Amino acid sequence: MNKKQVDTLLIHAHLFTMQGNGVGYIADGAIAVQGSQIVAVDSTEALLSHFEGNKTINAVNCAVLPGLIDAHIHTTCAILRGVAQDVTNWLMDATIPYALQMTPAVNIAGTRLSVLEGLKAGTTTFGDSETPYPLWGEFFDEIGVRAILSPAFNAFPLEWSAWKEGDLYPFDMKAGRRGMEEAVDFACAWNGAAEGRITTMLGLQAADMLPLEILHAAKEIAQREGLMLHIHVAQGDRETKQIVKRYGKRPIAFLAEIGYLDEQLLAVHLTDATDEEVIQVAKSGTGMALCSGAIGIIDGLVPPAHVFRQAGGSVALGSDQACGNNCCNIFNEMKLTALFNKIKYHDPTIMPAWEVLRMATIEGTQAIGLDHKIGSLQVGKEADLILIDLSSPNLSPTLLNPIRNLVPNLVYAASGHEVKSVMVAGKLLVEDYQVLTVDESAILAEAQVQAQQLCQRVTADPIHKKMVLMEAMAKGKL
């Protein structure tokens, strides 16, 4: 029998397809890839009898999974890794002095560093929310990953430092409209770019940071253009106080009133929502993005993912930003999500390993509206997949009977450094731990230069002396 030629044939894998309600495990599994798509998934024996690969990848002693989804990340913030932890007012007392000194060169250096880190740890899709800046979209195209770019905007005036805690935010309508126009232009220009690897959402920063007129306009534009809305929702008591003071109701009730709670919305965090509000959001068809690491470090809270999922909602994982979470790594988010929820509910059965693995893959794509395209390894979907070396000491030994230990070890023991190879849309971006599409050393070197120059500018601004960690520095604690 003549065998069908395919671009890539991956064989002898511990294959996790994420099909069905579980992890879809196939022992000695194989995948055939032609172009950007998966054309066959079965046992190695079955596929070797029907296909021959131009390139054959022997995945013996490797777990093969769908590429991981980072549904909510601010990639520019990698430049600020580790400068704003262990504080009570993370934004105003630790992060703002750095944010005020960010430049386009710093932004792109941060994005390059974040995506490089995430890619090497198995992230193939990045839901990046940023104010558009030069080369943002171009880098995602260059490195070859999948991206959902959410150009973000708010209606704050350039000078709002006179704002005091408890006062209503001062809105600048012109700035808000201009930001929305720029975001819409970017979203329309980049949606479907890079042969479909790049899609877009509208990235409204938060409902409390925009006037009602612009919120209505953004919703109408998103509906017209077929875009989802990527928004921080009920992310803290400041947002709740602002919306209650301005509209007389809490954020979830306000969003429901203005027609925002539907499948078009990706709601990020929900940490200040009550259980009843969380259930309301889940039942509306809205997706949730969960950032356990960042919210744990910044606020000491556990996002309400368990309640959301129990209500039937889809949850995606996000790393948020490295000045809160310290890393851009979905393995970290899987472990923390499982552990935090077990601790919160005093129940070791809450958020088992297979559930958070699904949140990092197929359920995550359901939350962001891409489950028809990625998130599981099945015929007709894009070939986004990762190979994880199970011979790494922290993942050894491999046990298959009577209990298979692979999924618990991937969630509770893996760090991301065990990711051996990464494929996106049928193209290898990482092979045998080496990034193939960009110069890793150049990205690291430029990030170091830009970070040092940023710190020089921060040090020259007297505002830095008010940062809460300055006392810890003076006492030799940092």
Side-chain angles (χ1 to χ4, degrees):
M1 182 178 70
N2 291 329
K3 294 183 180 181
K4 183 177 180 180
Q5 200 80 16
V6 291
D7 291 330
T8 305
L9 188 61
L10 185 150
I11 57 176
H12 297 309
H14 291 283
L15 193 59
F16 294 90
T17 68
M18 309 313 292
Q19 294 190 61
N21 295 323
V23 295
Y25 177 71
I26 300 177
D28 195 19
I31 300 175
V33 176
Q34 181 64 29
S36 68
Q37 291 191 328
I38 296 170
V39 294
V41 179
D42 208 329
S43 68
T44 295
E45 181 181 6
L47 262 58
L48 283 177
S49 67
H50 290 91
F51 295 97
E52 188 172 87
N54 294 328
K55 181 181 182 66
T56 299
I57 299 174
N58 189 344
V60 66
N61 294 326
C62 288
V64 174
L65 316 172
L68 304 181
I69 312 300
D70 191 333
H72 179 73
I73 183 173
H74 303 288
T75 58
T76 60
C77 293
I79 289 291
L80 309 183
R81 191 192 314 269
V83 303
Q85 280 66 41
D86 307 317
V87 300
T88 56
N89 193 348
W90 171 84
L91 178 63
M92 301 304 294
D93 292 342
T95 309
I96 285 293
Y98 290 90
L100 293 173
Q101 302 297 335
M102 299 285 278
T103 65
V106 171
N107 288 339
I108 191 60
T111 291
R112 287 172 175 148
L113 180 58
S114 286
V115 177
L116 175 68
E117 177 189 357
L119 173 62
K120 293 189 71 175
T123 298
T124 55
T125 298
F126 295 80
D128 198 12
S129 180
E130 298 284 356
T131 302
Y133 59 88
L135 302 180
W136 182 33
E138 285 84 350
F139 178 71
F140 286 95
D141 186 9
E142 175 190 357
I143 196 169
V145 297
R146 198 173 301 278
I148 309 156
L149 303 182
S150 298
F153 61 98
N154 59 47
F156 284 170
L158 290 176
E159 296 294 335
W160 64 286
S161 56
W163 174 79
K164 295 180 180 178
E165 189 79 36
D167 291 347
L168 281 174
Y169 292 145
F171 287 149
D172 183 331
M173 290 297 294
K174 289 184 178 179
R177 291 193 190 97
R178 182 171 60 251
M180 181 172 64
E181 290 171 1
E182 292 173 356
V184 170
D185 287 347
F186 182 96
C188 291
W190 280 92
N191 198 27
E195 299 179 322
R197 283 188 293 103
I198 298 177
T199 54
T200 58
M201 299 183 186
L202 277 188
L204 290 71
Q205 192 161 347
D208 62 316
M209 297 181 178
L210 288 159
L212 186 58
E213 175 186 325
I214 292 179
L215 289 170
H216 281 310
K219 175 68 172 176
E220 291 173 3
I221 292 169
Q223 288 177 324
R224 183 186 72 215
E225 300 296 338
L227 301 173
M228 288 183 68
L229 297 165
H230 185 158
I231 314 176
H232 300 94
V233 175
Q235 64 179 324
D237 58 356
R238 181 183 292 124
E239 175 185 339
T240 298
K241 290 174 183 176
Q242 287 285 318
I243 291 181
V244 168
K245 194 168 186 177
R246 198 180 293 273
Y247 303 110
K249 49 181 60 68
R250 288 172 56 82
I252 302 305
F254 171 67
L255 289 173
E257 182 179 81
I258 64 173
Y260 264 61
L261 295 188
D262 57 28
E263 65 282 351
Q264 192 179 17
L265 178 63
L266 178 65
V268 182
H269 299 321
L270 294 174
T271 41
D272 203 46
T274 66
D275 284 354
E276 293 74 19
E277 290 169 339
V278 171
I279 292 169
Q280 179 184 358
V281 176
K283 289 186 177 298
S284 73
T286 295
M288 177 184 178
L290 162 74
C291 303
S292 291
I295 295 301
I297 291 174
I298 293 171
D299 294 320
L301 297 172
V302 180
H306 177 61
V307 174
F308 197 91
R309 294 183 81 255
Q310 290 295 104
S314 296
V315 176
L317 302 181
S319 63
D320 210 350
Q321 24 60 15
C323 51
N325 173 356
N326 291 73
C327 66
C328 307
N329 186 323
I330 296 301
F331 283 97
N332 180 66
E333 297 307 314
M334 284 194 286
K335 181 175 182 176
L336 293 182
T337 297
L339 293 183
F340 287 176
N341 280 274
K342 294 176 192 301
I343 294 167
K344 177 180 179 178
Y345 292 101
H346 309 283
D347 184 349
T349 69
I350 295 289
M351 292 283 180
W354 57 86
E355 284 190 9
V356 292
L357 186 59
R358 286 181 62 84
M359 291 160 68
T361 53
I362 185 60
E363 187 174 332
T365 62
Q366 291 166 357
I368 60 177
L370 288 180
D371 53 305
H372 64 288
K373 193 171 186 178
I374 55 174
S376 59
L377 302 178
Q378 61 188 96
V379 174
K381 285 197 174 183
E382 294 284 291
D384 291 11
L385 55 88
I386 60 176
L387 281 73
I388 301 170
D389 184 359
L390 296 176
S391 67
S392 299
N394 54 312
L395 297 181
S396 298
T398 295
L399 303 176
L400 302 180
N401 292 298
I403 302 298
R404 193 160 51 240
N405 70 347
L406 303 184
V407 171
N409 286 348
L410 289 172
V411 170
Y412 299 125
S415 67
H417 293 94
E418 310 84 4
V419 174
K420 183 177 182 180
S421 298
V422 179
M423 176 181 285
V424 175
K427 180 180 179 181
L428 279 172
L429 307 185
V430 179
E431 186 172 23
D432 292 329
Y433 306 101
Q434 299 299 310
V435 180
L436 304 179
T437 52
V438 295
D439 185 336
E440 180 176 351
S441 61
I443 288 174
L444 295 173
E446 179 63 12
Q448 185 66 35
V449 169
Q450 291 299 328
Q452 289 176 328
Q453 292 178 357
L454 171 64
C455 288
Q456 290 171 0
R457 295 193 295 272
V458 172
T459 304
D461 188 337
I463 193 175
H464 87 275
K465 296 179 181 179
K466 298 180 181 179
M467 291 192 298
V468 293
L469 289 175
M470 292 301 294
E471 182 179 352
M473 282 284 291
K475 293 180 177 180
K477 294 181 178 179
L478 287 176

